[in-house]
Amino acid sequence: MTLIEQAINIRLMRLKDETKSENIFNAAVELINELGLAEISMSKIAKKANVSSSTIYVYFENKEDMLNKLYLSVKKKMSLAVFENFDDSISLQIAFETCLRKLADFILNNKNDFLFVEQFSNSPQIHKLSRKEGTELFDPIRNLFEKGKKQDVFKKVDTNLLVTFTFEPIMQFAKDHLNDETKLNEDNINKIIQMSWDAVKA
């Protein structure tokens, strides 16, 4: 076998592995949202993903390991969506509003991922390191607040408070929307963004 053929085979094996891993993640998210964290098992996930139970353990040590890796995978996907082409050189208010609009778009287009993150974030199974890494993925907005506090644009309070008043309103409203209790439409998104801005600006 030539070096080129070996490289092609390695590439194909990696693609196959990534596909299996993604299938397992997708199956886990669907089952967790359907049954809840306490009711899922590795065997149920394997069946849903159409792989053998032993295959899952090739990728993950156990259920807790899989859930934490899934959590970080979804948080990364979310942060990439929110901060794509992020430019902190523009107006702080525009940068702030753009992040919230992108978050709303992500939630509306990735319902299962959002619900999983919300559920697992409050689970005792989440590792401190996973929570820390997940938080660090949103450092661009924290850096924006630090910059804005120096410029007297944002309230000079703990940055965690600014993050909470920025993201929690739209995330809570989104959960109500997904439960058919309200509508996360353009008008409401605009109102939430304005109210969140009013809450954090100096």
Side-chain angles (χ1 to χ4, degrees):
M1 183 181 292
T2 67
L3 289 176
I4 293 178
E5 289 173 332
Q6 289 177 3
I8 291 174
N9 283 338
I10 290 172
R11 176 60 178 163
L12 290 173
M13 288 174 65
R14 285 177 178 170
L15 287 173
K16 185 177 180 181
D17 288 346
E18 289 172 4
T19 299
K20 280 187 178 179
S21 179
E22 186 177 350
N23 288 343
I24 292 169
F25 276 166
N26 290 338
V29 167
E30 289 182 26
L31 285 174
I32 289 166
N33 288 332
E34 179 184 343
L35 305 175
L37 282 168
E39 299 300 321
I40 68 164
S41 65
M42 294 296 258
S43 59
K44 287 180 180 178
I45 294 170
K47 184 177 180 180
K48 182 79 171 177
N50 198 29
V51 299
S52 66
S53 294
S54 59
T55 297
I56 290 188
Y57 291 100
V58 172
Y59 300 95
F60 312 105
E61 294 178 14
N62 48 43
K63 175 182 168 182
E64 193 169 293
D65 176 55
M66 184 209 65
L67 290 174
N68 277 273
K69 287 178 178 174
L70 173 56
Y71 170 79
L72 286 175
S73 175
V74 175
K75 288 287 282 189
K76 184 176 181 180
K77 181 179 176 182
M78 183 184 294
S79 69
L80 287 173
V82 173
F83 301 117
E84 183 181 12
N85 300 320
F86 182 75
D87 182 4
D88 63 359
S89 67
I90 62 177
S91 157
L92 292 175
Q93 184 171 359
I94 292 175
F96 175 92
E97 292 178 356
T98 300
C99 288
L100 279 181
R101 289 189 187 283
K102 287 185 175 181
L103 176 61
D105 286 341
F106 177 86
I107 293 171
L108 292 174
N109 293 312
N110 299 273
K111 173 184 175 180
N112 285 338
D113 286 340
F114 170 70
L115 291 176
F116 161 73
V117 165
E118 283 294 287
Q119 187 173 173
F120 191 65
S121 293
N122 299 311
S123 166
Q125 296 183 67
I126 188 171
H127 298 160
K128 287 184 178 179
L129 182 59
S130 296
R131 191 185 298 280
K132 181 176 181 292
E133 290 181 12
T135 298
E136 289 173 350
L137 289 169
F138 285 77
D139 276 351
I141 194 70
R142 293 175 181 277
N143 295 337
L144 188 78
F145 284 134
E146 294 299 334
K147 178 181 177 181
K149 284 196 285 185
K150 291 176 182 178
Q151 296 178 9
D152 295 321
V153 174
F154 296 121
K155 289 180 172 67
K156 293 185 178 181
V157 298
D158 189 321
T159 300
N160 289 323
L161 284 175
L162 298 177
V163 172
T164 297
F165 276 87
T166 297
F167 289 122
E168 284 302 316
I170 200 160
M171 292 175 75
Q172 183 57 54
F173 203 89
K175 283 187 282 187
D176 292 339
H177 166 83
L178 295 176
N179 288 326
D180 294 324
E181 296 174 8
T182 188
K183 291 296 180 184
L184 189 62
N185 52 31
E186 186 65 23
D187 182 51
N188 281 330
I189 289 174
N190 289 335
K191 289 176 181 175
I192 293 169
I193 290 174
Q194 185 60 55
M195 292 175 73
S196 295
W197 174 258
D198 289 343
V200 299
K201 71 177 183 179

